[in-house]
Amino acid sequence: MRAKPPARIDVDKSTQIDVRCQIHQLSFSPHTDSKGIMDLIRFLSPKNVILVHGEKPKMASLKERIESDLRIPCYYPANNESQCIESTQYIKAEASKSFLQSSLSPNFKFLKTISRADTGFILNERAESCIQVCDDRVAEGAVIMQKDQHPKIVHQNELMDILEAENHKVQVAYCCPVCVPNEPKNVALSPGEDMHAVLDKRSLLHLLYTKLSNDFQDVTIQNDGDRLQIESLTVSPCPKEKCPHRRHVNPVSTSEAVNFCCTWSMEDEKLAWRVISIMKNLELKTSAHLELKKCSDEGS
């Protein structure tokens, strides 16, 4: 951008200099601008481009320029997001026993669907609920190419042993409060006995399982009685009075909180916070509370 230069500069009280040069404003940064990136990509002519740093709107705009001007596929995945790129090179490789076994393991998912008799389905007609079973098998591995050896595909668990490296896995933890109505007055407690112990943490876990199953019909939720498993996310009642993963919560007057410890891997970050956001807005009512409400209704 060209700026209008001043006609004269005062050096001191007695000295003035006429400005005869042209002044231009240039962008200077340790990071190259979009033009520099485009010139670099044009010079290298890669088959694919992945943008890994920058503001999302600007990366989206640059992606469009790269694909429209240079005709090169471009991606800008978010943090912890995997990006699959089709390979144009094919090689023959052996597969390890562990990798083959991992691809044979079933990965069942049960989805609730509504069957329609024909395309002329009427909304007010009764629909039959069905269970659709999907078997999406995903085998994760790596191709090992060593000098004077045939390429080999190994399981990801074998890779760390081959590289003689330690496997680091990032786990995230959060102790989530779930509201439970205050203890029914007609339930007799022994001295020193806690109301939530009487109501049984397993029954609370089962109620949580039922409510989450209705909201997450696209994923498989397992309940073994002590914890819920949703992909890598584990949800279990927290037995600690002071959990390091718990934030301070002020229970409302009509209910108090039962805490559930949630742990998950980074690849399920979005799923975990979706589950936690639903848990925070739940109010679990056990059979003891329902029995109390039933007695109150009958009394009235």
Side-chain angles (χ1 to χ4, degrees), residues 183-223:
E183 55 192 62
K185 296 181 180 179
N186 65 338
V187 177
L189 297 178
S190 302
E193 196 171 29
D194 183 69
M195 181 61 202
H196 296 147
V198 175
L199 296 179
D200 187 10
K201 292 288 181 73
R202 288 195 174 192
S203 64
L204 293 175
L205 194 67
H206 180 72
L207 288 173
L208 182 60
Y209 166 76
T210 303
K211 291 182 178 292
L212 291 177
S213 297
N214 293 330
D215 292 324
F216 292 89
Q217 299 182 6
D218 56 335
V219 296
T220 302
I221 304 178
Q222 299 177 357
N223 179 13

